[in-house]
Amino acid sequence: QVQLVESGGGLVQAGGSLLLSCAASGSIFGINAMGWYRQAPGKQRELVAGITRGGNTNYADSVKGRFTISRDSAKNTAYLQMRSLKPEDTAVYYCNAEILSDRGRMDFWGKGTLVTVSS
């Protein structure tokens, strides 16, 4: 059974940094795109950053220049380095990945990790 598990969230002061990790495990044949989404209280889930299998990246305008997405394909892991954090970055951050497993090609989501930025 394929699982995505996020880690690295927590409480940080404005201007600080956090590194989020997303590890995929299970019967995985390959992983295509991976991405980080976030959902703040009362708001819809939004894409923060994405990375293709080939390493191409895209970012939400609100995080460009502050966040960096990367992946380690050997470890089936994606990362989100967050710098210069702002209170408006406070949200639950979710990892998403398109994974080819013994059940075929499917989209998987982690359960999320909470990031709280204090002013």
Side-chain angles (χ1 to χ4, degrees), residues 16-22 34-36 38 48-51 55-60 62-72 77-85 89 93:
S17 300
L18 280 175
L19 175 65
L20 304 184
S21 299
C22 168
M34 301 185 79
W36 287 95
R38 67 186 180 187
V48 175
I51 185 166
N56 294 320
T57 59
N58 63 288
Y59 297 91
S62 59
V63 306
K64 282 181 182 177
R66 300 188 297 122
F67 291 10
T68 302
I69 188 171
S70 62
R71 63 191 288 175
D72 185 333
T77 300
Y79 304 95
L80 186 68
Q81 177 67 61
M82 304 186 294
R83 297 185 175 90
S84 302
L85 283 160
D89 294 318
Y93 284 71

Side-chain angles (χ1 to χ4, degrees), residues 19-58:
L19 175 65
L20 304 184
S21 299
C22 168
S25 63
S27 182
I28 297 172
F29 299 156
I31 301 178
N32 289 332
M34 301 185 79
W36 287 95
Y37 291 72
R38 67 186 180 187
Q39 187 166 18
K43 295 188 176 182
Q44 289 188 328
R45 190 174 297 188
E46 62 174 358
L47 174 66
V48 175
I51 185 166
T52 67
R53 188 168 189 167
N56 294 320
T57 59
N58 63 288

